[in-house]
Amino acid sequence: MGQLDRITQQPEIMGGKACIRGLRVTIGMVVGQIGAGHSVDELLADYPCLEHEDIMQALRYAAWRAEEREVMLTTA
């Protein structure tokens, strides 16, 4: 996985959700907007605090999380 230095998680910002550079812009919001059909350029226009690389890292982070595997542990 490439470096994700723009992705932050802080308990005091958006309840610890993954955000972009400590801003109150969550990865889920960015991915949701792209999934709803908005373009990267539209997101950059709507959120002037974002940079192109922020959105690219948000998408890479979401792809990485989607590939994570959960292992169910049995209790004795």
Side-chain angles (χ1 to χ4, degrees):
M1 175 179 61
Q3 187 172 356
L4 297 173
D5 59 346
R6 294 172 181 245
I7 309 303
T8 57
Q9 286 183 285
Q10 300 167 332
E12 67 277 8
I13 299 175
M14 301 301 285
K17 289 182 179 181
C19 292
I20 297 175
R21 292 185 286 120
L23 301 170
R24 300 181 72 76
V25 178
T26 66
I27 303 307
M29 185 283 300
V30 171
V31 173
Q33 292 293 307
I34 296 291
H38 297 276
S39 70
V40 171
D41 289 334
E42 288 173 320
L43 278 176
L44 293 172
D46 290 343
Y47 297 89
C49 60
L50 295 180
E51 299 171 3
H52 187 269
E53 183 58 22
D54 295 329
I55 296 171
M56 294 299 104
Q57 282 195 25
L59 294 173
R60 284 196 298 274
Y61 177 82
W64 172 70
R65 289 298 307 257
E67 291 297 321
E68 279 189 349
R69 256 184 64 197
E70 287 190 32
V71 177
M72 299 302 290
L73 301 176
T74 58
T75 57

